[in-house]
Amino acid sequence: AQSVSQHNHHVILSEAASLELGCNYSYGGTVNLFWYVQYPGQHLQLLLKYFSGDPLVKGIKGFEAEFIKSKFSFNLRKPSVQWSDTAEYFCAVILDSGGGADGLTFGKGTHLIIQP
Amino acid sequence: NAGVTQTPKFQVLKTGQSMTLQCAQDMNHEYMSWYRQDPGMGLRLIHYSVGAGITDQGEVPNGYNVSRSTTEDFPLRLLSAAPSQTSVYFCASTWGTSGAHNEQFFGPGTRLTVL
C-alpha cells in the first residue's frame, strides 16, 4: 500500500534559520506531490505542488521543494524562516493516473515552531 | 467566491446519535471529498465524489454515508456516532473527475467530539 513518511514530527527553529522538512513516499507509479500548510486554527492551504517538469518547484511565502525521483523524496525547504511560519506542514501524494479512489495520501505532519 | 464552506464548526454528540456534516462549494468543482484528521495520523480519505449522483469509498468509510444530489453540496452522515469518530473533519474539492491533477481546496473543518 502507498504511504508517505515525514521524518520530523516536531521541529523548533529560531527566526532566520534555514528549514528542511523531509518527505519520502512509497508508491508504485507516477505520482503528483504536494505540500500543504495548516496555520493554527485554520484550514489546509497549498504551499506548492509538483506534477512534472523542473523537479525544483517554488511555492508561496518563499518555500521550495525538490523532487528526487530516485530517492522517492520531496523535501520542503526555506532559506530563512519567520515567526509566522509556525504551523503544521503536510506532505501529500496521489497517483497521477488514479481516480478518486486513492485520494491524497498524507504524511502524519510536521509541527514547526519558530521562536522569535 | 466563498470557496469551500462547512457547518457546523464544532459539534458534541453522544454515542449512538446521528448527525450530518454539511459541505458546500461554489467553484463548480466536480470532485469533492471528505477527510478526517486525527493527532499524529495526518488526514485520511473517508468518501469522495466525482460528480452529482456518483460517490465512492475512501480509506476509512465505515460508519459514514455520503450523497451528492447537486454539484455544490456533499454532506457526510454519521449514522450512529461512536467515540472513535471523534476527529476533525475536512471537506475538499477540485476541478475534474480525479483528485490527482489539481490543487484541492479545503474547508475550515468541523471539530466533532463523541462522548
Side-chain angles (χ1 to χ4, degrees), chain A residues 32 34 36 38 42-44 46 49 51 88 90 94-109, chain B residues 31 35 37 40-45 48 50 57-59 90 97-109:
Chain A
N32 296 330
F34 305 82
Y36 281 88
Q38 186 177 29
Q42 297 189 26
H43 56 94
L44 276 79
L46 182 70
K49 62 189 178 192
F51 290 168
E88 190 95 19
F90 293 96
I94 191 168
L95 273 176
D96 181 71
S97 59
D102 294 322
L104 286 165
T105 298
F106 284 86
K108 294 183 178 181
Chain B
Y31 184 92
Y35 291 85
Q37 182 183 26
M41 297 288 290
L43 281 79
R44 292 178 291 169
L45 182 66
Y48 68 96
V50 298
Q57 298 179 349
E59 179 186 357
F90 288 99
T97 55
S98 164
H101 302 121
N102 295 293
E103 168 191 357
Q104 294 199 35
F105 293 84
F106 285 82

Side-chain angles (χ1 to χ4, degrees), chain B residues 5 13 18 35 65 88 94:
Chain B
T5 59
L13 293 177
S18 63
Y35 291 85
N65 276 359
V88 182
T94 190

